[in-house]
């Protein structure tokens, strides 16, 4: 196994930069850079770093040594905490590139090695990927929960339970000669599988809220042309993300803007004005606007109240700076001016309360990815088949398939097919 290195912090300049190494040459590399013995494991040590080729002083850095297997990747690891100037970082990376047995890490390679060395499973790797891009407290909490191994522990307990049941079912095959024995075996499987099915049902029930936290709630802003939809989206985003003009039909395609609603992630959609149009491009934008509104979690309806839209609707009366209406939340609607900002706080308060109500109380969701749903659903269907199957051989096969599905969830079985897909989402140095 080669030794990899990468900048694990943001692009310089910065106050501090972190360079990570993992692999068998990590320790010798640290000794070569410092010309000193390795520091005590997991203790910071202030060392001067020199380019081994020339002896040039590169920086004075805090160094950390993590001998295998007690490291993130399960391999020998080194961390170099440097001054975060571009020159310092470039000098150290250049020195590392010239050392034998070292090469720059690819995206997600540190986490991939942690998986391959048994330090984490696939569900924890996915949670770490989610944590890297988390923008809200809800996303952070959900990612941290699964990164700690909660889904892994659940899946392994289910798999262990099924392996025990499978072993008993296969042992019974040698004795299931009488009809009474076959009936008793089926009754036993039904009894022992029932509580596991209930747990799988409960886990899968959390999938919708898990996806909502990870991907964000969707809020579609719709209405006729020139109702102020783009102005409202810009006001909610606190920056100019949508073009605003007095001409109808300016917005043709859907613009997506992320929002943090009191710790709950949301995506606000600016859509084309709803009207009859002979322009094929504008007509396509209007069709897309109606389709996205139909699937949105909430619709902010501006302008004409006669527009027929499905789903949950919050009516917005915009441009109150041109009328006598008082800004604020009036229950049936929110009155505001996207231009002056009057009443915008009332709308945000209403949206935050709505967003928090969409999140179920208690622990973060256990199931957060479509891949989780697929393999848990597969295991559930295999277990239901085992409960219905009178033939003891086929019943044992259904149990075996359920065990396999849970193994694929965690990566204990046939993980190679999904490794590239999962780890390609990581940044360099993670």
């Amino acid at each position: 196994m080669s030794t990899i290195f990468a900048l694990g912090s943001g692009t310089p300049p910065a106050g501090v930069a972190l360079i990570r190494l993992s692999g068998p040459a990590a320790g010798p590399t640290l000794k070569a850079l410092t010309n000193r013995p390795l520091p005590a494991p997991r203790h910071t040590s202030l060392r001067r770093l020199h380019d081994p080729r020339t002896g040039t002083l590169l920086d004075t850095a805090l160094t950390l040594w993590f001998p295998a297997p007690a490291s993130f990747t399960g391999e020998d690891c080194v961390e170099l905490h440097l001054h975060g100037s571009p020159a310092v970082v470039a000098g150290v990376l250049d020195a590392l590139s010239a050392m034998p047995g070292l090469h720059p890490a690819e995206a997600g390679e540190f986490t991939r090695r942690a998986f391959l060395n048994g330090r984490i499973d696939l569900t924890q790797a996915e949670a770490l990927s989610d944590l890297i891009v988390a923008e809200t407290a809800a996303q952070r909490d959900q990612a941290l929960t699964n990164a700690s191994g909660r889904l892994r522990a659940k899946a392994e307990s289910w798999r262990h339970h099924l392996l025990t049941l499978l072993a008993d079912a296969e042992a019974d095959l040698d004795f299931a000669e009488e009809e009474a024995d076959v009936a008793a075996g089926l009754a036993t499987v039904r009894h022992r599988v029932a509580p596991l099915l209930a747990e799988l049902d409960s886990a899968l029930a959390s999938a919708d809220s898990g996806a909502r936290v990870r991907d964000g709630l969707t809020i579609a802003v719709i209405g006729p042309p020139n109702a102020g939809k783009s102005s409202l989206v810009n006001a909610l985003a606190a920056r100019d993300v949508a073009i605003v003009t007095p001409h109808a039909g300016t917005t043709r395609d859907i613009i997506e803007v992320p929002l943090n609603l009191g710790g709950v992630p949301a995506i606000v959609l600016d859509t084309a004005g709803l009207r009859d149009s002979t322009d094929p491009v504008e007509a396509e934008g209007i069709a897309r606007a109606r389709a996205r509104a139909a699937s949105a979690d909430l619709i902010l309806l501006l302008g004409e109240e006669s527009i027929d839209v499905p789903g949950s609707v919050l009516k917005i009366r915009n441009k109150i700076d041109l009328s006598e209406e008082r800004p604020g939340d009036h229950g049936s609607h929110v009155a505001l001016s996207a231009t002056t900002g009057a009443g915008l706080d009332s709308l945000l308060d209403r949206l935050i309360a709505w967003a928090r109500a969409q999140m179920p109380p208690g622990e973060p969701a256990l199931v957060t990815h479509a891949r989780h749903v697929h393999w848990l659903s597969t295991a559930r269907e295999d277990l239901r088949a085992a409960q219905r199957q009178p033939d003891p051989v086929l019943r044992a096969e259904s149990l075996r398939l359920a065990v396999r599905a849970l193994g694929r969830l965690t990566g204990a079985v046939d993980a190679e097919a999904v490794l590239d897909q999962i780890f390609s989402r990581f940044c360099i140095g993670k």
Side-chain angles (χ1 to χ4, degrees), residues 63-192:
T63 62
L64 280 158
W65 162 239
F66 302 93
S71 70
F72 173 69
T73 63
E75 303 172 337
D76 288 346
C77 287
V78 163
E79 289 185 0
L80 305 175
H81 296 254
L82 315 164
H83 293 93
S85 77
V88 167
V89 172
V92 174
L93 291 176
D94 180 63
L96 293 174
S97 298
M99 299 184 72
L102 272 66
H103 69 82
E106 297 178 357
E109 192 169 358
F110 285 91
T111 308
R112 185 172 188 146
R113 291 191 178 200
F115 167 74
L116 293 174
N117 291 321
R119 299 291 291 176
I120 60 173
D121 79 325
L122 287 185
T123 65
Q124 290 172 287
E126 288 166 321
L128 287 173
S129 177
D130 293 341
L131 184 60
I132 290 170
V133 298
E135 295 181 342
T136 69
Q139 290 173 323
R140 177 202 64 207
D141 294 345
Q142 180 170 279
L144 283 172
T145 295
N146 276 344
S148 69
R150 187 163 68 108
L151 180 54
R152 174 187 187 174
K154 277 286 189 182
E156 286 301 314
S157 69
W158 296 332
R159 190 163 177 260
H160 177 74
H161 177 81
L162 282 181
L163 284 170
T164 302
L165 180 55
L166 176 59
D168 292 344
E170 290 180 332
D172 289 343
L173 293 178
D174 296 331
F175 304 100
E177 298 177 356
E178 301 295 333
E179 186 175 336
D181 295 330
V182 173
L186 179 58
T188 298
V189 166
R190 286 175 174 171
H191 174 72
R192 294 173 65 179

Side-chain angles (χ1 to χ4, degrees), residues 40-374:
R42 292 171 293 281
H43 285 73
T44 56
S45 178
L46 186 65
R47 302 284 177 95
R48 288 176 176 269
L49 305 183
H50 295 83
D51 189 328
R53 297 169 296 181
T54 63
T56 302
L57 178 65
L58 299 173
D59 195 19
T60 301
L62 289 175
T63 62
L64 280 158
W65 162 239
F66 302 93
S71 70
F72 173 69
T73 63
E75 303 172 337
D76 288 346
C77 287
V78 163
E79 289 185 0
L80 305 175
H81 296 254
L82 315 164
H83 293 93
S85 77
V88 167
V89 172
V92 174
L93 291 176
D94 180 63
L96 293 174
S97 298
M99 299 184 72
L102 272 66
H103 69 82
E106 297 178 357
E109 192 169 358
F110 285 91
T111 308
R112 185 172 188 146
R113 291 191 178 200
F115 167 74
L116 293 174
N117 291 321
R119 299 291 291 176
I120 60 173
D121 79 325
L122 287 185
T123 65
Q124 290 172 287
E126 288 166 321
L128 287 173
S129 177
D130 293 341
L131 184 60
I132 290 170
V133 298
E135 295 181 342
T136 69
Q139 290 173 323
R140 177 202 64 207
D141 294 345
Q142 180 170 279
L144 283 172
T145 295
N146 276 344
S148 69
R150 187 163 68 108
L151 180 54
R152 174 187 187 174
K154 277 286 189 182
E156 286 301 314
S157 69
W158 296 332
R159 190 163 177 260
H160 177 74
H161 177 81
L162 282 181
L163 284 170
T164 302
L165 180 55
L166 176 59
D168 292 344
E170 290 180 332
D172 289 343
L173 293 178
D174 296 331
F175 304 100
E177 298 177 356
E178 301 295 333
E179 186 175 336
D181 295 330
V182 173
L186 179 58
T188 298
V189 166
R190 286 175 174 171
H191 174 72
R192 294 173 65 179
V193 162
L196 180 52
L197 278 173
E199 290 193 43
L200 289 175
D201 287 339
S202 177
L204 286 166
S206 72
D208 183 59
S209 62
R212 284 185 168 193
V213 169
R214 191 168 61 85
D215 300 330
L217 299 165
T218 55
I219 302 172
V221 181
I222 70 169
N226 293 331
K229 299 183 297 299
S230 296
S231 295
L232 178 57
V233 170
N234 287 341
L236 290 171
R239 56 193 176 93
D240 290 336
V241 293
I243 298 174
V244 177
T245 76
H247 304 291
T250 299
T251 301
R252 299 292 183 97
D253 209 347
I254 296 171
I255 298 173
E256 300 187 359
V257 181
L259 283 186
N260 184 339
L261 296 177
V264 179
I267 302 294
V268 176
L269 311 174
D270 184 21
T271 62
L274 302 182
R275 65 172 181 172
D276 294 328
S277 175
T278 57
D279 183 330
V281 177
E282 184 183 1
E284 176 62 22
I286 293 170
R288 292 185 182 186
R290 289 189 179 277
R292 290 301 297 271
S295 63
D297 298 300
L298 178 67
I299 295 169
L300 300 185
L301 177 59
L302 279 68
E304 299 175 7
E305 298 186 5
S306 60
I307 293 178
D308 183 26
V309 291
S312 179
V313 177
L314 174 58
K315 294 177 181 178
I316 307 295
R317 290 185 184 170
N318 189 23
K319 303 183 180 182
I320 61 167
D321 52 310
L322 304 179
S323 70
E324 300 297 323
E325 185 166 10
R326 178 173 55 87
D329 188 345
H330 298 280
S332 62
H333 69 279
V334 175
L336 55 82
S337 170
T339 302
T340 67
L344 189 63
D345 287 347
S346 297
L347 174 59
L348 285 171
D349 289 342
R350 183 84 172 256
L351 291 177
I352 289 171
W354 167 80
R356 288 175 173 168
Q358 307 310 302
M359 298 295 106
E363 289 185 319
L366 190 67
V367 177
T368 59
H369 285 259
R371 195 183 67 83
H372 304 168
V373 174
H374 173 75

